[in-house]
Every structure is written in structure tokens, then in C-alpha cells.
Amino acid sequence: VQPAVQGRCWQPRSCAADVTLLNSLGRVSKLKGETVVVKYGGHAMSNDELADGFAKDIALLQGLGMKPVVVHGGGPQIGKMLEKLEIPSNFVNGLRVTDAATMQVAEMVLAGSINKKIASSICAAGGRALGLTGRDDNLVSATQKDPELGLVGEPGLVRADRLQALLDTGVIPVIAPIAAGEDGQAFNLNADTMAGAVAGALRAHTLLLLTDVKGVLNSAGELLPNLSLAQSNGLIEDGTASGGMIPKLQNAMQAVEAGVGSAVIMDGRVPHCTLIHFFGEAAVGTAIAADL
């Protein structure tokens, strides 16, 4: 006869569940104090349910002793605001040209509504977060990427000591991809590139790149859960990786070469993907490391 516990029949615990729990607890211990940079964008940011879950997950990572840094995008939101203000957009090779008017809107959207919403959502979930741009305290400098693209920049110097000071006081930096050139001119940066530069400067344990794809796929369309730098480069050279996956892979590789432990191209459409990556048993993306 099974013993009753509060009116219910006792059920034996699953040994597999115990092993999973113990594995997760072991990972929590190993990750305590480690820096994790998360590039946040795409569907994960535009879907309210996923956005709420993301904020809670980042707050939980902080509560478990990790040191998260969030770098976010906002291209679609910029496009919508430009349309609303009837500011025309020009494109060169599929890339939006950022003139002075477009830059003003980009900074308003990225550093204003989006940045503060993310930071406040993390705080509401129990974390401590501060919304910033690369221009604040000269955290990130920038150089012009291509004169034809206008005020589109590439990250230069990242002042890791200033970001580290925030992390050491228990604050999550939430960074909009805006940075200034030597003369103070604001530039709009690609969020993936900005996140990679920040992760490299901090020598982060992990860079998580939340995207709208499953990860890196092989020629049969199957997810590749782990890749070395050499394997990643091989996928680009043989054409297996193509289109928008090439810059994603290149950015992940550059971060690893700069000292990041691993860079993960992951499916941000999966609820709680960040937690699943660190504490789950199934892959939710492709992890790139120096060697396997």
C-alpha cells in the first residue's frame, strides 16, 4: 500500500530527474561569478510573453550569482518610427543609410523607449539593471564603417573596467548599440557586433546571440550543437553557411578569438532559452568554441 501524503498517493521520484537536478545544481556552482553577455533582439524582443520571460531569466541569472550584460537591437522599431515620422529610408546593398535625421531617430528609439523598457523589466523581475549606451561615460568608441552608409559605425575601444565596476556592484548593464567617434559624433552599431566587442573586452565566459533561427545547420538542415573555430570557418568556406548566417558566425568566431569562452548562436524564439542553455539537457543553438 502506498503511503498517503496530504491526501495524495506517494509516487517514487525519478532517478533521471534526480540526476538532472544534481547536474543543474553543479552548473550553478561552476557559473557563479562568471560574466555572460547576451545580445537581445528579434522575435524574443517583439513578443510580449517572450520579453517578460527574458527579463525574469536575466534577473534569475543574476540571483544565481552570474554577471549578465545585455546588449539589445531595435532595427524594426527604428524602421516603424521613421515611417511614422515620414522620414525616407535609403539603402545601399540592402543596408539602411543612416543620415543625421535617421541617427536622431535611431538614438531616440534605441536609447529611449527600448533601452529603458528592458532595464525596468529586469528590475521589476527582481534584478538590478541600468540602461546605457556606448556614449555614456565613453563606454564604447566607434569608427565609421563605410562613408556610403553614413553614421553606421564599428566598435572600437570598449572600456571594460567601467563595465566591470558596474558588474562588481551588482548592476546589470543594459546597453543600446550607440557609440561615439573621436569628435563625439554618434554612430549606430550592429547589435551583434557590439555584443561581441563587449564580450571580448570583458573576457566573458559566454556570449549568447539570440536570433530568429535554430542555430547553425549542416547541409541536411540538422542543428549542429557544437563547432570549433576551424569547423565554423569550414562551413563558411564550403558554402554550408550562407546569407545572414555568415556574419553571425564571423561575429561569434571573433568573440571567441578575443577570449570569450564560447559564443552561442541560439533560437531566441524558444521560451527561457538562456536558462535552457546553461541548465537544461537539450541544445537550443550552436555553441562555438576555440576547440571541442
Side-chain angles (χ1 to χ4, degrees), residues 13-74:
R13 286 179 59 90
S14 164
C15 183
D18 285 341
V19 171
T20 299
L21 177 60
L22 289 172
N23 286 340
S24 295
L25 290 174
R27 292 171 193 158
V28 169
S29 177
K30 290 180 180 179
L31 290 167
K32 187 174 182 180
E34 296 288 1
T35 299
V36 177
V37 177
V38 184
K39 183 269 176 173
Y40 178 47
H43 189 70
M45 195 166 75
S46 60
N47 179 281
D48 289 341
E49 186 175 350
L50 288 175
D52 181 64
F54 174 82
K56 291 176 179 176
D57 292 349
I58 295 298
L60 179 57
L61 291 179
Q62 185 183 48
L64 292 172
M66 299 172 69
K67 296 180 177 181
V69 178
V70 177
V71 179
H72 66 82

Side-chain angles (χ1 to χ4, degrees), residues 80-97:
K80 288 180 181 179
M81 183 59 71
L82 289 171
E83 289 183 13
K84 185 176 181 179
L85 297 175
E86 299 182 347
I87 297 175
S89 293
N90 298 311
F91 295 85
V92 173
N93 297 324
L95 299 174
R96 178 184 282 115
V97 176

Side-chain angles (χ1 to χ4, degrees), residues 83-146:
E83 289 183 13
K84 185 176 181 179
L85 297 175
E86 299 182 347
I87 297 175
S89 293
N90 298 311
F91 295 85
V92 173
N93 297 324
L95 299 174
R96 178 184 282 115
V97 176
T98 302
D99 57 17
T102 302
M103 186 65 235
Q104 188 174 12
V105 172
E107 189 161 20
M108 176 180 68
V109 173
L110 291 171
S113 57
I114 294 177
N115 184 264
K116 304 315 174 191
K117 182 178 180 180
I118 296 169
S120 63
S121 295
I122 294 171
C123 291
R128 291 185 60 204
L130 180 65
L132 302 162
T133 75
R135 297 182 76 183
D136 295 316
D137 201 20
N138 290 322
L139 289 175
V140 182
S141 66
T143 56
Q144 190 175 43
K145 180 181 177 69
D146 183 342

Side-chain angles (χ1 to χ4, degrees), residues 204-229:
H205 179 279
T206 309
L207 168 64
L208 302 180
L209 299 165
L210 273 61
T211 69
D212 288 340
V213 297
K214 292 181 179 179
V216 183
L217 309 180
N218 62 18
S219 58
E222 301 166 328
L223 178 67
L224 297 168
N226 296 284
L227 289 172
S228 66
L229 287 175

Side-chain angles (χ1 to χ4, degrees), residues 137-187:
D137 201 20
N138 290 322
L139 289 175
V140 182
S141 66
T143 56
Q144 190 175 43
K145 180 181 177 69
D146 183 342
E148 281 193 285
L149 296 175
L151 300 175
V152 175
E154 289 282 0
L157 175 65
V158 178
R159 290 172 173 81
D161 58 326
R162 300 177 188 183
L163 288 172
Q164 192 64 53
L166 289 173
L167 293 170
D168 290 344
T169 57
V171 173
I172 300 169
V174 178
I175 309 171
I178 302 290
E182 290 183 359
D183 59 355
Q185 172 64 57
F187 287 93

